[in-house]
Amino acid sequence: MSDDKTIQAEAAAFRRLVEHLRKRTDVQNIDLMNQAGFCRNCLSKWYHAALTDLGAEREYEESRAEIYGMPYNEWKKRYHTEPTAEQQAEFLRSQSQANH
């Protein structure tokens, strides 16, 4: 497969992932971190870093809004819930395992 087709396929997969995460507002970032080791904020940072590497000038909050589908503060007001003690404990366990 050509490099062009590979890039197009990767871009399409990325767009599908972002759309999926936008629809799954019931899934909290801490759940993503606990299960997958990344969350919407991580994806926002990776996206922003890629734009920066390509020479695009964009504020981080703009990149974050691209991933969330709205400004982060708006998403947080609408969908964020405080993590449970169990979620927090799992997060701490997963972070300590990742650092080993």
Side-chain angles (χ1 to χ4, degrees):
M1 183 168 17
S2 70
D3 286 346
D4 210 33
K5 290 286 184 197
T6 299
I7 290 168
Q8 289 175 18
E10 290 168 346
F14 174 79
R15 287 189 298 270
R16 275 185 91 169
L17 173 61
V18 168
E19 187 61 31
H20 180 75
L21 291 173
R22 285 179 183 174
K23 288 178 182 175
R24 290 301 310 268
T25 57
D26 59 310
V27 178
Q28 297 295 303
N29 281 333
I30 196 164
D31 296 322
L32 291 169
M33 286 298 293
N34 288 345
Q35 295 298 313
F38 81 100
C39 69
R40 292 171 185 87
N41 290 323
C42 298
L43 193 57
S44 299
K45 290 174 186 172
W46 301 337
Y47 179 59
H48 186 73
L51 287 169
T52 301
D53 289 347
L54 293 170
E57 291 189 27
R58 179 182 262 190
E59 294 294 321
Y60 169 67
E61 287 303 322
E62 292 176 274
S63 296
R64 201 178 204 190
E66 188 69 30
I67 300 303
Y68 280 89
M70 64 187 69
Y72 174 70
N73 287 337
E74 178 71 22
W75 189 93
K76 193 171 178 179
K77 275 190 236 174
R78 287 185 188 187
Y79 306 114
H80 177 76
T81 60
E82 289 301 315
T84 65
E86 293 82 13
Q87 287 171 315
Q88 290 176 325
E90 177 60 29
F91 179 75
L92 292 174
R93 272 193 299 279
S94 68
Q95 293 300 299
S96 68
Q97 291 172 350
N99 293 327
H100 285 111

